[in-house]
Amino acid sequence: MEEPPLREEEEEEEEEDEAGPEGALRKSPFQLTAEDVYDISYVVGRELMALGSDPRVTQLQFKIVRVLEMLETLVSEGSLAAEELRMERDSLRKEVEGLRREGAAASPEGSLGPGKMMVDLTDPNRPRFTLQELRDVLQERNKLKAQLLLAQEELQCYKSGLIPAREGPEGRRGKDTMVARASNASRDKEEKTIIRKL
Amino acid sequence: MAKKTYDLLFKLLLIGDSGVGKTCVLFRFSDDAFNTTFISTIGIDFKIKTVELQGKKIKLQIWDTAGQERFHTITTSYYRGAMGIMLVYDITNGKSFENISKWLRNIDEHANEDVERMLLGNKCDMEDKRVVPKGKGEQIAREHGIRFFETSAKANINIEKAFLTLAEDILRKTPVKEPNSENVDISSGGGVTGWKSKCC
């Protein structure tokens, strides 16, 4: 009555993590870990205990313990070596990728010919504007600067009272529109001369 | 009601190797200030300063160029409009002096034939680091028939004198003309006379 449920439990465990104490015995020796060796020693120990306290069993037990210790050492060494190899493999893989990228960058450079330049598209500071664009931006900046200077000059004139802000009531409207027209005309003129630039 | 802001507009241009102090020379003249931090000029910039010479108000529109080779095509397009060109070198930088002939050739190629030229040996306050003797500057200027000053934007030596002398030289050969309604345009080439405005 007791045994079948126990087996079921064991099988369930195996199904769940494939590594019950018994499962360790079915593993490939190349995948064996120190943990598996402890599982094996647990299983073997349990079965030896079941054989009773015969001195021959005790003798055998010592030898088995020794063999398991040797196995544990080999497995630990093996996993360390495997880990080292894995790391070496990863670093070599990275190196190869780097060289491959360099090679890809270098080979078209060779076919670019003299006077050509490679651009790294991932470089945030890569050149990406044309001389004409720079020229336009500078021209616009200088145009705005010229306008600012003119406006400042005009403001200074108003501040120093050289241009009266208010005229007398008679003819004021007429004069204002004249001034507005004159400044519009000058602005138009300026824009034209700016456009004329280059 | 209509008063003019100025009688004449002179367009000047500063050229020379990167780092010789063109921007500092201009900044000293226009704002009477000096800044030790080196910020390379991007392409081209300008400042305006009005001076009075022989009873005439002269608006100086001074273009400051980037000395770096990569801006060359942009800067040379501004030579054409210049009436006066200041070629600046650094007395502590032998290379900048050697390059004078290169800059003079640029002037020949891109500027007006009658452009007034001037040579400036800047940073003359740094006597301990001088590598270009004053005599060498004077000699090359004499060879090319142009004026020469040693200047210091930092110590404010000869800066105003250089600009005023250049303006005077341009004024001397400017035909007396009725000022017309030419504006302060920022175009290269164009008029000498100033826009008659309603102020100042």
Side-chain angles (χ1 to χ4, degrees), chain B residues 13-175:
Chain B
L13 186 75
L14 283 158
I15 60 170
D17 276 14
S18 177
V20 298
K22 298 179 290 298
T23 303
C24 287
V25 163
L26 180 52
F27 194 46
R28 169 62 77 189
F29 180 62
S30 65
D31 295 77
D32 194 23
F34 181 78
N35 196 341
T36 43
T37 51
F38 176 58
I39 301 164
S40 198
T41 303
I42 295 173
I44 185 121
D45 198 358
F46 77 96
K47 284 205 177 275
I48 287 197
K49 173 136 173 147
T50 306
V51 296
E52 203 158 332
L53 284 175
Q54 298 165 23
K56 283 192 166 64
K57 271 194 174 161
I58 298 171
K59 186 162 251 183
L60 300 177
Q61 189 180 52
I62 308 156
W63 291 92
D64 179 23
T65 63
Q68 289 176 349
E69 173 67 33
R70 60 201 182 113
F71 294 116
H72 194 77
T73 50
I74 286 179
T75 55
T76 49
S77 64
Y78 283 79
Y79 282 44
R80 185 63 65 197
M83 296 143 77
I85 295 181
M86 279 177 163
L87 202 179
V88 190
Y89 70 91
D90 171 3
I91 65 150
T92 71
N93 178 348
K95 189 79 198 149
S96 74
F97 183 75
E98 287 166 36
N99 281 334
I100 285 174
S101 54
K102 188 196 85 181
W103 290 110
L104 285 170
R105 241 179 293 128
N106 277 341
I107 295 175
D108 288 344
E109 268 178 51
H110 301 283
N112 286 332
E113 224 171 88
D114 60 345
V115 69
E116 201 62 44
R117 297 169 301 168
M118 177 177 274
L119 182 66
L120 299 185
N122 194 38
K123 307 194 188 178
C124 73
D125 59 290
M126 294 165 81
E127 202 51 58
D128 54 327
K129 288 190 178 143
R130 176 193 285 276
V131 294
V132 184
K134 192 175 179 181
K136 281 186 84 176
E138 288 168 337
Q139 188 193 333
I140 200 164
R142 206 167 33 242
E143 282 167 11
H144 290 88
I146 59 180
R147 285 191 197 272
F148 171 69
F149 289 105
E150 276 203 345
T151 58
S152 167
K154 191 180 180 183
N156 197 6
I157 299 168
N158 278 341
I159 298 295
E160 187 160 88
K161 194 174 176 187
F163 279 99
L164 293 184
T165 306
L166 185 58
E168 270 170 6
D169 288 345
I170 297 167
L171 180 62
R172 199 165 300 125
K173 48 186 204 181
T174 302

Side-chain angles (χ1 to χ4, degrees), chain A residues 46-93:
Chain A
R46 196 178 55 187
E47 280 175 30
L48 281 170
M49 292 271 278
L51 288 176
S53 53
D54 191 309
R56 281 176 302 178
V57 173
T58 315
Q59 283 288 85
L60 184 62
Q61 192 174 351
F62 281 124
K63 290 188 179 96
I64 289 171
V65 166
R66 180 71 191 127
V67 169
L68 285 171
E69 278 172 357
M70 291 159 107
L71 184 60
E72 183 204 354
T73 307
L74 288 171
V75 163
S76 306
E77 287 278 308
S79 72
L80 268 175
E83 184 57 31
E84 267 172 38
L85 285 170
R86 208 171 295 128
M87 279 164 68
E88 199 173 329
R89 181 200 62 192
D90 288 348
S91 78
L92 282 170
R93 202 173 270 168

